């Protein structure tokens, strides 16, 4: 089955760190760029970061640049998001998604996980 | 950075009616890198339209996308009960931004 499955969310104190994971299955993971998108409670979608299939190229929203690091392990079909210096504004459901076509980094997101929730609070 | 503004914020319609959703870009981004997604409560978004006018796999033909330059439109020809949801447009060029969403609710 083609799917993306996030994990690693939870409650973290302001200034803390957390690492999210996203395990992919059912397609050749290394051929596709993948991305993180978040959604604060009751709000819209907010793109966070994208990484190319090889992992060589990464892209970040200004709001997370310098605090979040995207990476991937193609041998484990897994995408990661290391989040540091978290603030209340980072509280959201975090979705991973796959780009539609192989070998590109600008494309629509055609396969989404169900998300994992991050809550930043003391 | 491309800013996408969706209108209206909420659209109140009855099943069987036509829905027309607008997405306006802050400037012409010179490509067709525009997608539309549907999201229902508690669910992940679902890709409907990519490259401004191409339907994603499995999307019914009552959904159509048009537009270029700075003005894009998602049309739903005849609303089915399962179409009441929130719809987002997205530019997936350099800025990968989303619009703020349009809620289509049952009148």
């Amino acid at each position: 089955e083609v799917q993306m499955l996030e994990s690693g969310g939870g409650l973290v104190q302001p200034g803390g760190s957390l690492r999210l994971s996203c395990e992919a299955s059912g397609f050749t993971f290394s051929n596709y760029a993948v991305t993180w998108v978040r959604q604060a409670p009751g709000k819209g979608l907010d793109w966070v970061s994208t990484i190319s299939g090889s992992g060589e190229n990464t892209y970040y929203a200004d709001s997370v640049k310098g605090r979040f690091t995207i990476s991937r392990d193609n041998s484990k079909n897994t995408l990661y998001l290391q989040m540091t210096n978290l603030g209340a504004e980072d509280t959201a459901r975090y979705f991973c998604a796959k780009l539609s076509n192989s070998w590109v980094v600008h494309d629509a997101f055609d396969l989404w996980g169900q998300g994992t929730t991050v809550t930043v609070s003391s | 950075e491309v800013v996408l503004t969706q209108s209206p914020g909420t659209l109140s319609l009855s099943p069987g009616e036509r829905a027309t959703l607008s997405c306006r870009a802050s400037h012409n981004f010179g490509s067709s890198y525009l997608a539309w997604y549907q999201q229902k409560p508690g669910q992940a978004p679902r890709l409907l339209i990519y490259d401004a006018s191409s339907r994603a796999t499995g999307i019914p033909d009552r959904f159509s996308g048009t537009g270029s330059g700075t003005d894009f439109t998602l049309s739903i020809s005849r609303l089915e009960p399962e179409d009441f949801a929130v719809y987002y447009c997205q530019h997936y060029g350099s800025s990968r931004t989303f619009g703020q969403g349009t809620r289509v609710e049952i009148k």
Side-chain angles (χ1 to χ4, degrees):
Chain A
E1 183 183 3
V2 181
Q3 65 177 3
M4 312 275 283
L5 186 63
E6 304 92 339
S7 61
L11 176 64
V12 60
Q13 292 189 336
S17 300
L18 203 60
R19 188 177 84 156
L20 306 182
S21 300
C22 171
E23 185 171 355
S25 58
F27 62 97
T28 306
F29 182 66
S30 59
N31 287 359
Y32 293 87
V34 282
T35 193
W36 289 98
V37 175
R38 66 185 179 182
Q39 186 169 36
K43 302 298 184 182
L45 302 173
D46 182 30
W47 171 73
V48 174
S49 183
T50 297
I51 186 168
S52 62
S54 66
E56 287 183 7
N57 299 297
T58 58
Y59 309 86
Y60 297 94
D62 288 344
S63 59
V64 306
K65 202 171 294 183
R67 300 188 300 122
F68 290 11
T69 302
I70 192 171
S71 63
R72 62 192 296 161
D73 184 339
N74 287 341
S75 69
K76 296 181 178 179
N77 289 346
T78 301
L79 168 70
Y80 302 100
L81 186 68
Q82 178 69 49
M83 304 184 294
T84 63
N85 194 19
L86 286 161
E89 69 276 11
D90 299 312
T91 293
R93 188 175 179 187
Y94 285 73
F95 298 97
C96 62
K98 162 191 163 291
L99 274 65
S100 298
N101 292 291
S102 53
W103 314 118
V104 298
V105 292
H106 295 289
D107 208 352
F109 308 156
D110 70 338
L111 177 67
W112 296 66
Q114 285 303 304
T116 187
T117 299
V118 174
T119 303
V120 184
S121 176
S122 55
Chain B
E1 176 181 321
V2 175
V3 176
L4 299 177
T5 302
Q6 293 186 238
S7 61
T10 302
L11 199 50
S12 299
L13 295 168
S14 300
E17 289 193 296
R18 180 181 185 86
T20 302
L21 287 67
S22 173
C23 176
R24 177 162 290 178
S26 56
H27 58 271
N28 186 339
F29 45 80
S31 71
S32 59
Y33 284 172
L34 195 287
W36 290 92
Y37 300 86
Q38 176 194 68
Q39 188 180 32
K40 297 179 181 179
Q43 296 185 16
R46 177 174 72 143
L47 177 64
L48 300 175
I49 301 288
Y50 64 94
D51 292 350
S53 61
S54 298
R55 269 188 302 277
T57 302
I59 301 304
D61 60 7
R62 63 179 181 274
F63 291 92
S64 62
T66 59
S68 63
T70 59
D71 291 312
F72 299 86
T73 300
L74 174 70
S75 298
I76 311 171
S77 58
R78 294 171 308 281
L79 282 164
E80 298 287 341
E82 63 268 27
D83 299 335
F84 291 92
V86 180
Y87 293 83
Y88 296 94
C89 60
Q90 182 209 16
H91 169 54
Y92 45 90
S94 57
S95 56
R96 299 176 176 86
T97 49
F98 289 90
Q100 82 277 21
T102 290
R103 178 180 305 276
V104 178
E105 64 176 24
I106 299 176
K107 186 174 182 179

